[in-house]
Amino acid sequence: MVRPLGRSGASTRRPSGPNPSPAPDRAPGAPDGHPRRTRRQPGGPPPRREHGGGRPGLPSALGGRSVAGQVFVLQVVIVLLLVVAAVVALVLQVRHDSTKEARNRSVAVAEAFANAPGTREALRSPDPSAVLQPRAEAARKATKVDFIVVMNTDGVRYSHPKPDRIGKKFVGTIAPALAGKTVTEEITGTIGPLVQAVVPVKADDGTVVGLVSAGITTESVGGAADQQLPLVLVAAAAGLALATAGTALVSRRLLRQTHGLGPHEMTRMYEHHDAVLHSVREGVLIVGDEGTLLLANDEAQRLLDLPDDAEGRHVLNLGLAPDTAGLLASGRVATDEVHLVKDRLLAINQRTTDTKGGPPGTVATLRDSTELRALSGRAEAARERLNMLYDAGVAIGTSLDVTRTAEELAELAVPRFADFVTVDLFDAVLSGGQPQVTTALSRTAVNGIRKDAPLYPVDERIRLVDTSPQARALATGQAVVEPRLSEAAGWQAQDLERSAQVVAYGIHSLVAVPLRAGSLVLGVVSFWRSEKPEPFDVDEVALAEELVARAAVSIDNARRYTREHNMAVTLQRSLLPRNLPEQDALEIAYRYLPAQEGVGGDWFDVLPLSGARVALVVGDVVGHGLHAAATMGRLRTAVHNFSALDLPPDELLALLDELVGRIDQDEAAEGANAPVTGATCLYAIYDPVSRLCTIARAGHPPPALIHPDGSVEFPEVPAGPPLGLGGLPFETADLELAEGSRLVLYTDGLVEDRERDIDVGLELLRTALEGAGRSPEETCRGVLDSRLTDRAGDDIALIVAGTRSLAADRIAEWQVPGDPAAVGEVRASVSRQLARWGLDELTFTTELILSELVTNAIRYGGDPIHVRVLHDRTLICEVFDSSSTSPHLRYAAMTDEGGRGLFLVAQLSERWGTRYTPEGKVIWAEQPLP
C-alpha cells in the first residue's frame, strides 16, 4: 500500500515488530489502493478464499474474521436486538393493557351488579341463591366475564358459575370491601391467571349488607393482542431481512476494499509489506500520472542515488540520466531495458497501475545486472562443484582395485578442478595391509592436461621431507595449500632439480590433501594448477577435501578387499596340491584358474594307492570367499584320510557326505550364514594292472574320455546327490581304459555359467578336446586356449590323466594251496622271479615278508589264496585270501612263541596295509627298489 506522504515528502512507514513475518506481495495500483496478497508467507495471515475471477467469496469472507465480516455480524446483531426488544416491549405492553382492562371490567361488572335493583332485597330474602344465581349467570354471560359471585358479609357464596360451590367460602380478600371499599387483585385460580374485584352492597344507611365479586382471566382480555403478535413478528422478520440485506451490501463493498482481511491481519500485512518493500534486493519506484515520484524503496534510493527529498518531486528533477528519467516520466511499458546509471547497468521493467480500475501512474522495478552476473557466476561455480561431488560418488570406486580407484580420482579432477593430479599411497595400502605413516610412498596415479609434466612418474617410490606440503598434510591430517611454488622453500627441498623443472613448466600452486579413512592415513593427493593464474581459494580447498574424503572411503574398501582376497588366495593355494606325487600309472597334467573376483572352493588331488593304483579326485564347494576355501581344505583332508583306508569310491563318497552333513549341522548350531550344503565331488580309482577305472560322483559333472584314436565321449557314470544331503546311496561305474586313453576331470566353472546351459558347455568341451593335442599337457593347453568362457566367473579345475598299463613281464602271481608246506615253494618262486628282474638284493627280505603273509593267510584266512608281486616304482607283494578278518600288529612278549610276523613285515617294508575286495581281503607290503 502507498502510504500518504508527510510534509517532508518522505513516505511514512509503520514500524514492524521485532521479528516481523515476511509480508505478502502487493501488486501496485490494485483497486482502492489496497495490496493484493498472492500467497501466504511464513508467519503471515492465512490465505483468503477466492471465487472464480479472483474476487473474494462473500460467504467465506463474512465469517467474522475480516473487517467486512465483523461489520456485517455487528449490524445483524443490532437489528436482531431491536426486533427482539420491540417484540418483548409489545408483549409486555399487551400484558399490562390486558391486566388493566381486566381490572376495569371486573370492577365495572361487580359495581353494576351490586347497585342493580333487587340485589339488596334478594340478600334479605329467605333464599338469596334462588334469586341471585340466575341473575348472576345472566349478567356474567352478558358482560363476558368469567364469574360473578354474590356473597354475604361472611364470605359465603350465594351464586357461582358452578352450582356446587354455592354455600362455600369465597377465596379472596374481602376485608376492605366490608369496610366499604372496592378491592381488586390478581390471582391464579383454577381457570388460570385472572383479575377479580370485590365491591360492597350497601343499604340505604350505608351499612354493608353483602358483597359482589366479578373476575376475568387475562387470557380472555388479551386474546386480541395475541392475534396481533404474529403480524408484529412478520413485520419484524421483514425488517430484519431488509436490514441484513442492506448490511450485506455495505459489507460486500467493505469486503472488496479490505480483501477479506481482519483488523489484526491488515495491520500486520501493512507492516510486513512496508518491511519487505524496503528490504528486497530490487528497486521499486511508483510514479504518478503527472510524473511525480510517489514512492521509492531503499534499494531504488541506492541504485539511483536519489536525494532524501526525492518523493513528491518530478522524476525529471531528480538528477537522473536523461534516458532513465525519460523512461520513468513517459509512463510507457518497458521490459528489461538496460540503462547505464553511473557505473551500473540497470535492467528496468515498467508497467502501468491503472489496469483493472487502479489509480493512474506507473510502477518500475530496477535490477542491478552487474551484481546479478557476479551472483550467477558464483552460483554456476557452486553448481559445478555439486556436480563434481555427485560424479565422484558415481565414478570413484567402481572396482575393488586400489590402483584403479586412485586413477578414477585423478581422472575426475582433471581438468574440472585441477590441471594435474597425483595420488601417492603407502606400499602397505597397495597390498591390502595396514599403512604406516613412517614408510615411503608410491606414486600410484598421475593425470594431467598434458603428459609431459615433470612430476614423479607412476610407481616411483617417494620419501617425503618434513618441510614438504605433502608431509605436513600427512602429519596434521589437514589440507595444506602452497599458493606460490616458486617461493616455497619447503616444497623445493623435496627435490631441488625436479622442483625447478616443475616451476619452469608453469605449475605455480598446489593443495595437498591427506587420504584419511577413519583413523587410517592411506596416502596423500596433490592437486596442481598451471593454467589458471590464481591459487586455490578456500572454497576450492574445501572441495578438494570433500573429493579426497569420498575417494578415501573407496580406496580403503578396495584395500580391505585386497587384504581379504589375498588371505583367501593364500589359504586356497596352501590347501591345493603344490606338487603331484610320483606314480607310474597315469601321466597327469592339470590347470587351476581362480575366479576373476573372489576365491572359490574348487579342488583336486592325485592320491597313490596300494597295488600301483592311483586315485583321482576333483570337487567343488558352493560359494566363494574364505569360508568356501576353508571348507575345501577340510574336505580335501578328509579325502586324504579316507583314501588311506583304501575304500571303494562309493563308500568314500558316503563317508564324505556324512562329514559334510556334520559340518552343516555345526554351522547351523553356531548361527553361521554360509552352510556348505551343495558341495560336489568325483572320485576315480585307476588300476594299471587291470586297466580298470572305477568312478563314482556326487552331483559333479561327468568325466570326459578321450580314446587313443582321438574320439571323445562322456561315459555314463551314475550321478549321485550333492554332498551333505544324505539318505541316498552312491553308485560306481567301471570303465576299462585302453592304454593311451586320456581321462578328463573338471569342475562346473569350465562348462557352465549364467548365460549358458551345461549341455551347451559339454558340447563345446567335446569340440575343444577333439582338437587338442595328444599328450595330457597339450590337452590342458588346448582346452584353456579355447576358453569356453570369456571371463571366469567361477574357479576352474582341470585334470587330464593319460593312462598307462603295467607290463605283463613286471607282474608275477601264484596260486597257493592251503598247506603250510607251500610256503617254501612260494619263497623259491619269488627268489627266481627277483633274479629275473635283477632284484637279488631284495630276495631275503621279500622271502621273509611273503613267508609271514602266506603263513597268516593259510592259518587264519580262507581258500583260495593268491600271491602277486608287482615290479613298479617299488616292489609290491600282495597276498589275497577269502577271509575278511584283518590281522593286527602287536608287540609279542618274551615268552610268546609267535605273534612277531606282522612286526617283521612292518620293519622290513616301507609301507604295508590291508584292503578289502568283494571276494575277501588283500594284505600288501611295499619295498623301495635298490
Side-chain angles (χ1 to χ4, degrees), residues 301-450:
Q301 296 271 358
R302 183 182 72 86
L303 294 177
L304 297 177
D305 195 17
L306 296 176
D308 295 338
D309 60 347
E311 294 179 347
R313 297 170 55 182
H314 200 280
V315 293
L316 297 177
N317 300 327
L318 298 177
L320 301 176
D323 58 339
T324 304
L327 172 62
L328 297 176
S330 66
R332 62 182 176 85
V333 175
T335 301
D336 287 335
E337 285 193 12
V338 180
H339 291 257
L340 179 62
V341 179
K342 295 185 179 180
D343 58 345
R344 303 177 186 273
L345 289 176
L346 300 183
I348 302 178
N349 290 273
Q350 186 166 269
R351 297 290 185 272
T352 60
T353 60
D354 57 358
T355 58
K356 298 182 180 180
T362 59
V363 58
T365 59
L366 316 173
R367 296 195 312 274
D368 190 347
S369 60
T370 307
E371 294 179 356
L372 288 177
R373 280 198 297 271
L375 291 174
S376 176
R378 289 196 293 269
E380 182 64 28
R383 183 164 51 251
E384 172 60 23
R385 291 170 185 170
L386 288 176
N387 291 337
M388 187 180 301
L389 291 177
Y390 172 78
D391 294 341
V394 175
I396 299 177
T398 58
S399 66
L400 292 174
D401 182 80
V402 175
T403 301
R404 180 56 193 153
T405 304
E407 292 173 349
E408 290 170 346
L409 171 61
E411 292 169 359
L412 175 72
V414 176
R416 298 171 65 178
F417 178 69
D419 299 321
F420 299 92
V421 175
T422 59
V423 182
D424 304 322
L425 300 177
F426 292 107
D427 293 337
V429 175
L430 298 173
S431 59
Q434 197 84 354
Q436 298 293 332
V437 181
T438 57
T439 60
L441 295 164
S442 178
R443 178 60 49 89
T444 307
V446 177
N447 192 31
I449 56 176
R450 293 182 296 273

Side-chain angles (χ1 to χ4, degrees), residues 36 48-56:
R36 178 172 295 120
R48 68 179 189 278
R49 299 177 182 175
E50 302 285 346
H51 289 285
R55 298 186 65 85

Side-chain angles (χ1 to χ4, degrees), residues 91 136 279 282 340 411 449 455 460 505 511 535 628 765 855 899:
V91 172
S279 62
E282 185 172 291
L340 179 62
E411 292 169 359
I449 56 176
L455 300 171
E460 181 82 10
Y505 187 78
V511 55
L765 177 61
T855 300

